[in-house]
Amino acid sequence: MKDYLVIPTLLVNTTSMTLSFAEIEAKMIDKQELPELAKTYSAWWTKKEHSFSSAWAAYGYRVDKVDLVNQLVCFSKK
């Protein structure tokens, strides 16, 4: 989960933002990649019971839209 804490840091001081998967991966520790499920399954971003989604939910953000074709995810402040 620690790798996904980069997402709230990218969103700081914003009420909404669209990030590309590449932008997220570029900021992850050791330039790791998102799991393949994140790139092929939109529910990966929105399932509340997963530890990775708690990384941004704990900071008050939610996922509004996932565009798997263009590899974009839209976040907004709750």
Side-chain angles (χ1 to χ4, degrees):
M1 182 181 105
K2 187 165 69 170
D3 292 339
Y4 305 112
L5 290 177
V6 70
I7 294 172
T9 63
L10 294 170
L11 299 171
V12 72
N13 298 324
T14 65
T15 56
S16 65
M17 181 181 278
T18 299
L19 295 168
S20 70
F21 296 175
E23 287 175 299
I24 295 168
E25 289 176 330
K27 298 292 184 178
M28 291 175 75
I29 298 169
D30 298 326
K31 305 292 188 230
Q32 293 181 351
E33 293 184 9
L34 290 166
E36 194 59 33
L37 281 177
K39 298 175 183 180
T40 58
Y41 187 56
S42 61
W44 186 93
W45 296 94
T46 57
K47 286 198 173 199
K48 292 180 174 81
E49 64 272 3
H50 290 298
S51 61
F52 47 80
S53 62
S54 67
W56 49 84
Y59 289 86
Y61 292 95
R62 67 173 175 243
V63 172
D64 291 324
K65 181 180 176 185
V66 179
D67 180 345
L68 296 174
V69 173
N70 295 303
Q71 296 194 327
L72 300 170
V73 59
C74 303
F75 294 89
S76 67
K77 192 82 167 169
K78 292 182 190 176

